[in-house]
Amino acid sequence: MIYMLLDWTIHIVLCLVGGFLLTEIAGYFIHHLLHSNAIHWLSRYHMIHHLRDYGPGKSLRSEKYICSADGRASILDFGFEWVIPILTLLVGMEVVFGFFQAHMVTRVLFPAFCLIYGYFSFSMMHDAMHLKNWWMLKHPFLKKWFLAARRSHDLHHMIIADDGLMKFNFGISFYFIDKILGTFTKEGQSFNQKGYEQALKRYDYVL
């Protein structure tokens, strides 16, 4: 009985820690993909959020979050530019678990936690960063962290390279993957009109 309880505890802890790390890593690379224009149609849908709803010259905050997936196919407000990479990752995860004959607890809890944490960080927390009034702003322990994370996300929106792409701060709640891979910045830049015009040219349908 004790051994079984210990076995379950170990699996649960590994699922929580591993799921957190994998979701942060996967979220980073999916977000990076959406800004790379490597798959044009994925990027063009993501840029609705960046050029139309919370674009340069517009307020990054609103009373109610403006969802760029409104009016098109989505799941839990995730447009298919997010859904397709996520589903691909989940299928790949199941293939790997099956190959290594992973414990059933791991095969169920690991993807479940990835989905739950992913929704929290890349949907709920992301939306909160674009709201004018969010409860964390008044929380004595969370306010400092939230403001720092929000500032980093603001820079993600505001810094445009000459080629019209956004290349910094792909994390949402945490930015340690950005720091490891050299895509983190905490310094703002003057508005790049050339880069903005290039982005509008590439994604002119957005506006």
Side-chain angles (χ1 to χ4, degrees), residues 61-65 127-134:
R61 239 75 69 197
S62 56
E63 294 292 342
K64 181 180 179 181
Y65 179 70
D127 296 1
M129 293 182 184
H130 289 288
L131 295 176
K132 290 183 177 179
N133 298 299
W134 181 246

Side-chain angles (χ1 to χ4, degrees), residues 30 34 41-43 45-46 68 72 79-85:
I30 292 174
L34 296 182
W41 74 269
L42 292 180
S43 294
Y45 279 120
H46 184 61
S68 64
R72 58 190 177 93
F80 272 69
E81 68 274 18
W82 282 94
V83 171
I84 291 176

Side-chain angles (χ1 to χ4, degrees), residues 35-37 47 159-167 192-203:
H35 279 282
S36 69
N37 205 46
M47 291 305 289
I159 300 175
I160 306 177
D162 287 345
D163 59 5
L165 300 180
M166 297 169 176
K167 303 180 179 182
N192 187 347
Q193 184 66 33
K194 177 182 177 181
Y196 181 57
E197 291 175 356
Q198 184 63 31
L200 291 179
K201 181 179 179 180
R202 180 182 291 119
Y203 306 110

Side-chain angles (χ1 to χ4, degrees), residues 98-115:
F99 180 80
F100 288 102
Q101 298 182 337
H103 194 288
M104 185 54 65
V105 175
T106 301
R107 297 181 70 166
V108 173
L109 288 185
F110 194 92
F113 182 75
C114 287
L115 289 172

